[in-house]
Amino acid sequence: QFFLQFVTMATMGNGETRLRVTTTTRRWTEGANVNDIAAGFDQEAGATLIARQLTWKMETEEEFDCPAATRWLDRSLIRMCQRFGDYRKDDAASFQLMPQFSIYPQFMFNLRRSQFVQVFNNSPDETAYYRMILWRENVLNSLVMIQPTLMAYSFNGPPEPVLLDVCSIAADRILILDAYFSVVIFHGHTIAQWRKANYQDQPEHAAFAQLLAAPKADASQILKRRFPVPRLVDCDQNGSQARFLLAKLNPSATYNSSGQVGGVGGGDIIFTDDVSLQVFMEHLKRLAVQS
């Protein structure tokens, strides 16, 4: 066990100087003791630290461009899986991560696809701004930047969190994507048609009016409590602005998916050559168990 002490001195507005001493304690273990390391691992904080280290290297090392950053991230993830995974050599089906690391690869998958690594279509000023905010925010807000949250609103019940996946899109749903720098209100195809027909203005469709108002109210609360204020995007399925949502979703259904030429159950597909989370995990397992 070791103790770590932070000493902070600040000068107040009235000229008064204050000294704050914060002491914390942590367990100390040898690097070879994998179980003790895993027991104290915080995968949310770990993902945030890796994101900050990666973006710092991209800012300060000239040769550390997007492809190099992606390779560095992949290699670090493979090494982590090799050390903390439970598997038999050359048997990808046997691979299993400790519970403390279960969603860490998912964070890395979304980090690879984020604006922090994929800087195409962003100006250098925008990229620097995104990274600066990442370095100064807390873990919770940093995780929202890395892996946005997705909420679904429908007639079937109260709002609920859903997978950050294209399969979460449905014609009779409204989705809210909170990506920290932007908040997207996405209306499914059927919801958008009803809204354009002004059903919400008819007394007999009061429930539909409430359904339309709920995500707007929640999005407004996000805008009020966050600084810098995120961009609000209000869009419909198959509309041009829908790209702000689709770019953040796991492409589990794409234009070249087997036998799929359109969305299923009023859903959608993503026109991309990016691999899905499922394919990413299969490749990760195969590389981690290699001799």
Side-chain angles (χ1 to χ4, degrees):
Q1 190 173 23
F2 74 94
F3 295 89
L4 186 63
Q5 197 167 70
F6 298 92
V7 180
T8 306
M9 183 177 292
T11 302
M12 312 305 292
N14 58 4
E16 178 184 352
T17 300
R18 294 185 182 180
L19 179 68
R20 172 180 291 177
V21 179
T22 305
T23 305
T24 184
T25 179
R26 290 292 184 270
R27 290 183 60 191
W28 182 267
T29 185
E30 296 295 332
N33 197 332
V34 173
N35 289 329
D36 278 355
I37 295 175
F41 183 72
D42 184 331
Q43 50 194 339
E44 288 85 2
T48 301
L49 286 174
I50 285 292
R52 292 177 179 178
Q53 183 182 4
L54 179 70
T55 50
W56 176 256
K57 290 172 73 69
M58 294 184 74
E59 282 286 332
T60 58
E61 299 180 19
E62 186 174 350
E63 69 280 2
F64 208 77
D65 55 6
C66 295
T70 303
R71 289 193 298 270
W72 180 87
L73 195 61
D74 290 345
R75 286 195 296 267
S76 66
L77 180 59
I78 292 169
R79 288 195 300 269
M80 187 275 293
C81 290
Q82 289 174 334
R83 186 172 188 189
F84 296 100
D86 182 16
Y87 57 90
R88 295 185 298 272
K89 286 291 186 180
D90 299 319
D91 184 5
S94 68
F95 181 85
Q96 188 173 2
L97 272 175
M98 294 181 177
Q100 296 89 343
F101 298 87
S102 58
I103 59 176
Y104 183 81
Q106 181 177 312
F107 290 145
M108 296 300 100
F109 171 78
N110 287 291
L111 177 59
R112 292 168 88 255
R113 305 175 69 236
S114 70
Q115 69 270 19
F116 302 117
V117 179
Q118 305 299 331
V119 299
F120 177 76
N121 208 32
N122 289 330
S123 70
D125 288 347
E126 286 178 307
T127 299
Y129 165 73
Y130 293 146
R131 292 171 178 171
M132 180 195 70
I133 298 297
L134 175 68
W135 296 338
R136 63 179 289 182
E137 281 295 343
N138 57 32
V139 170
L140 180 61
N141 287 337
S142 298
L143 277 181
V144 174
M145 302 178 206
I146 296 169
Q147 181 172 293
T149 61
L150 191 63
M151 296 290 295
Y153 299 73
S154 69
F155 290 114
N156 299 325
E160 58 179 355
V162 293
L163 293 174
L164 192 67
D165 193 293
V166 68
C167 70
S168 297
I169 295 177
D172 58 349
R173 257 183 180 177
I174 302 176
L175 299 176
I176 281 192
L177 177 82
D178 181 5
Y180 192 85
F181 298 107
S182 62
V183 176
V184 182
I185 304 177
F186 178 92
H187 302 88
H189 183 65
T190 301
I191 297 290
Q193 286 185 322
W194 290 347
R195 188 197 68 235
K196 292 174 183 176
N198 295 320
Y199 284 4
Q200 68 275 14
D201 297 332
Q202 302 174 13
E204 61 269 26
H205 294 297
F208 179 60
Q210 293 173 0
L211 179 65
L212 287 179
K216 290 184 178 180
D218 289 347
S220 177
Q221 289 300 316
I222 295 174
L223 299 182
K224 287 180 180 178
R225 67 172 182 260
R226 182 170 298 161
F227 182 83
V229 179
R231 175 181 182 178
L232 179 63
V233 179
D234 194 338
C235 62
D236 298 334
Q237 187 176 359
N238 302 323
S240 62
Q241 300 288 294
R243 67 185 187 274
F244 288 98
L245 172 71
L246 297 179
K248 297 294 185 180
L249 299 182
N250 172 39
S252 60
T254 66
Y255 71 96
N256 57 5
S257 298
S258 57
Q260 283 192 341
V261 294
V264 178
D268 214 331
I269 63 172
I270 298 179
F271 292 90
T272 180
D273 291 324
D274 289 347
V275 299
S276 66
L277 176 60
Q278 293 78 8
V279 175
F280 176 78
M281 289 301 299
E282 289 172 5
H283 283 280
L284 176 61
K285 292 176 182 179
R286 190 160 57 247
L287 292 170
V289 303
Q290 281 182 353
S291 299

